[in-house]
């Protein structure tokens, strides 16, 4: 079974924990080896000195013809072969081996006649001391690694939680919540040192405030311009109606109508930007509503009902979304244009050159068109904004065999 990590845990926390563990293990192993070697050398040295001292006494007694002390003898049983060979060759040496089931420190030297004089010293106590030391080193290292890992994990998770909170705020800002802020405590208290995470949080809050201020200024400018244009346009429209019939009059009326449409679109966008639009939801038959939109558009659009359903939506806003999608398909695409209802999913497809790459990747952008297309890019922008108000999802793509495809995902009743 795979261990589930908390939401705030991620690659940084895992890597930090792994790094701390490896470094603690390496440090514990290094210190353990140093302590083991030092104590072992000291213990073995003391035992060797004792064995050589007894060998010296045994050699003097052997040369004087006196009786040898217990543990000393010539070619005694259990004497290691290598140590005996060293002694027969005329040199003294020591070696630890097992004798009668117990650790023994041997010291041997020449005794003449290709024989070796050896002394056996019990090495059990020293062996137990070294084994106990190794056991203590092992357990203390494990406890130290565990404690260090817990402390390190606690310190790292505090940082990762703060980073996770900062990332969440950044995602909220990306989604359009310009009021979102990190509000890291370290950025508010001047007496506390500001670390790197606090610096990032402060920079993000500052960026969000600046972005919000600029967007609000643009929104106010758009709304003010649209409101200021309505009065002179109303006068122009009234004056155009008084002009005598003729081609110049038709051109003037057409341009005035275009300006009025642009002004109304700007006003609608400014209302959508403020986020104060209220939804008036009701139950609607999606197929019948799509048919009304096509008839109201006066275009040659085919309506296909694959699977009809009732949805909870704001009829006026949904008609606005579908009407803009159909109008855009006829204006910038090529026939045939097909509106398909398949349950809560509605698609509008034409058979033109498709949407520009920037629109598919980033969505519609006001006052941006490509390829010599006419328009202001407001129709799809309004459709996307109204879809968000409806709680629906509007996506843009291109069909494999050519043509632009706009897909609207609505909510069924009860969802």
């Amino acid at each position: 079974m795979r261990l589930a990590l908390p939401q705030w845990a991620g690659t940084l926390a895992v890597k930090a924990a792994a790094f701390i563990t490896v470094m603690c293990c390496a440090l514990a192993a290094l210190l353990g080896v140093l302590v083991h070697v030092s104590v072992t050398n000291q213990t073995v040295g003391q035992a060797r000195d004792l064995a050589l001292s007894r060998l010296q006494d045994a050699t003097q007694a052997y040369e004087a013809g006196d009786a040898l002390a217990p543990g000393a003898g010539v070619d005694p049983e259990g004497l290691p072969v290598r140590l005996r060979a060293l002694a027969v060759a005329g040199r003294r040496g020591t070696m630890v081996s097992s004798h009668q089931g117990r650790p023994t420190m041997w010291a041997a030297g020449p005794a003449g006649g290709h024989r070796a004089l050896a002394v056996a010293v019990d090495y059990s106590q020293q062996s137990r001391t070294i084994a106990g030391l190794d056991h203590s080193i092992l357990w203390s290292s494990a406890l130290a690694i565990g404690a260090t890992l817990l402390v390190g994990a606690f310190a790292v998770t505090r940082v990762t939680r703060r980073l996770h909170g900062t990332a969440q705020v950044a995602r909220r800002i990306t989604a359009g919540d310009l009021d979102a802020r990190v509000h890291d405590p370290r950025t508010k208290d001047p007496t506390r040192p500001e670390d790197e995470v606090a610096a990032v949080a402060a920079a993000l809050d500052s960026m969000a405030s600046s972005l919000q201020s600029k967007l609000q200024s643009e929104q106010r400018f758009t709304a003010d311009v649209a409101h200021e244009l309505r009065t002179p346009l109303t006068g122009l429209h009234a004056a155009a109606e008084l002009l005598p019939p003729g081609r110049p009059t038709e051109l003037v009326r057409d341009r005035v109508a275009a300006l009025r449409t642009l002004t109304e679109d700007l006003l609608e966008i400014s209302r959508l930007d403020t986020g104060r639009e209220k939804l008036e939801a009701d139950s609607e038959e999606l197929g019948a509503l799509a048919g009304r939109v096509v008839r109201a558009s006066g275009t040659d659009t085919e309506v296909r009902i694959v699977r009809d359903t009732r949805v909870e939506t704001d009829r006026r806003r949904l008609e606005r979304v579908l009407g803009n999608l159909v109008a855009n398909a006829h204006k910038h695409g090529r026939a045939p244009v097909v509106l398909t209802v398949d349950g809560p999913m509605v698609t509008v497809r034409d058979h033109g050159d498709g949407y520009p790459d920037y629109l598919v990747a980033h969505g519609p952008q006001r006052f941006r068109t490509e390829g010599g297309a006419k328009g202001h890019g407001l129709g799809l922008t309004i459709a996307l904004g109204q879809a968000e108000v409806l709680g629906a999802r509007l996506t843009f793509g291109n069909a494999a065999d050519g043509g632009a495809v706009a897909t609207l995902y609505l909510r069924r009743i009860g969802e």
Side-chain angles (χ1 to χ4, degrees):
M1 184 178 67
R2 186 177 179 181
L3 181 62
L5 294 175
Q7 278 191 340
W8 46 262
T11 305
L12 178 62
V14 174
K15 287 183 177 179
F19 176 77
I20 292 173
T21 302
V22 171
M23 293 303 297
C24 286
C25 290
L27 183 60
L30 178 61
L31 292 177
V33 168
L34 291 176
V35 172
H36 172 82
V37 170
S38 176
V39 173
T40 300
N41 288 339
Q42 182 179 1
T43 303
V44 172
Q46 292 174 352
R48 181 182 292 114
D49 292 342
L50 176 61
L52 290 174
S53 175
R54 291 186 179 182
L55 177 63
Q56 179 67 28
D57 295 340
T59 301
Q60 293 176 357
Y62 178 74
E63 291 176 349
D66 297 336
L68 298 177
V74 178
D75 290 335
E77 180 184 358
L79 179 65
V81 176
R82 291 176 57 190
L83 184 60
R84 183 181 184 283
L86 181 68
V88 170
R91 300 170 61 186
R92 289 186 175 187
T94 59
M95 180 179 290
V96 177
S97 68
S98 179
H99 178 55
Q100 296 180 353
R102 301 174 65 183
T104 302
M105 171 67 77
W106 290 94
H114 297 286
R115 292 184 301 173
L117 176 63
V119 174
V121 177
D122 186 17
Y123 193 70
S124 300
Q125 181 62 37
Q126 292 87 339
S127 179
R128 286 194 295 269
T129 300
I130 294 175
L133 175 66
D134 291 341
H135 188 266
S136 299
I137 290 175
L138 181 63
W139 277 104
S140 61
S141 298
L143 291 175
I145 291 172
T148 305
L149 184 59
L150 288 176
V151 174
F154 174 74
V156 171
T157 52
R158 289 188 64 187
V159 176
T160 54
R161 276 198 298 267
R162 293 169 64 196
L163 287 174
H164 180 71
T166 303
Q168 281 186 324
V169 171
R171 284 191 288 267
R172 287 171 57 192
I173 294 173
T174 303
D177 184 6
L178 298 181
D179 293 322
R181 298 291 186 274
V182 180
H183 294 307
D184 193 291
R186 290 179 180 265
T187 62
K188 297 181 179 181
D189 188 355
T191 61
R192 301 181 65 182
E194 187 174 287
D195 58 8
E196 289 78 3
V197 179
V200 172
L204 179 62
D205 287 350
S206 176
M207 181 199 70
S209 298
S210 176
L211 179 62
Q212 184 179 38
S213 177
K214 290 179 180 180
L215 287 177
Q216 288 176 346
S217 297
E218 292 179 2
Q219 292 168 4
R220 285 195 298 268
F221 175 77
T222 302
D224 292 343
V225 168
H227 278 291
E228 291 296 327
L229 286 175
R230 293 185 82 177
T231 301
L233 281 175
T234 302
L236 281 175
H237 178 72
E241 294 297 325
L242 299 176
L243 293 175
R247 181 59 180 167
T249 299
E250 293 177 0
L251 291 175
V252 171
R253 290 175 179 174
D254 179 69
R255 293 301 85 196
V256 170
L259 280 174
R260 291 188 68 180
T261 300
L262 175 59
T263 302
E264 294 300 326
D265 286 346
L266 288 173
L267 283 171
E268 186 170 358
I269 287 177
S270 67
R271 289 194 299 269
L272 291 171
D273 285 341
T274 60
R276 298 175 181 175
E277 292 286 87
K278 294 183 179 180
L279 192 67
E280 298 178 1
D282 198 2
S283 176
E284 296 286 342
E285 282 284 350
L286 194 52
L289 188 145
R292 291 198 304 270
V293 169
V294 170
R295 288 193 297 272
S297 69
T299 59
D300 185 17
T301 302
E302 179 184 355
V303 178
R304 295 178 183 173
I305 309 297
V306 177
R307 182 165 50 94
D308 202 358
T309 187
R310 295 189 71 85
V311 294
E312 186 175 355
T313 187
D314 187 321
R315 178 181 58 80
R316 181 184 64 83
R317 297 184 190 279
L318 181 55
E319 288 177 350
R320 178 69 159 149
V321 173
L322 296 181
N324 281 16
L325 294 178
V326 170
N328 184 81
H330 282 281
K331 186 174 183 178
H332 300 289
R334 287 193 296 270
V337 176
V338 182
L339 188 154
T340 305
V341 176
D342 186 2
M345 182 178 70
V346 182
T347 59
V348 178
R349 179 188 174 181
D350 62 55
H351 290 75
D353 297 328
Y355 291 120
D357 293 338
Y358 81 87
L359 193 149
V360 175
H362 306 291
Q365 300 177 22
R366 61 194 71 174
F367 299 108
R368 177 176 179 180
T369 56
E370 290 187 357
K374 297 180 179 180
H376 306 284
L378 300 182
L380 294 182
T381 303
I382 292 173
L384 184 62
Q386 293 289 10
E388 291 177 355
V389 175
L390 291 173
R393 183 163 59 93
L394 179 59
T395 61
F396 302 93
N398 293 319
D401 55 347
V405 181
T407 306
L408 180 67
Y409 300 90
L410 296 162
R411 296 181 298 180
R412 284 194 182 95
I413 295 178
E415 290 185 352

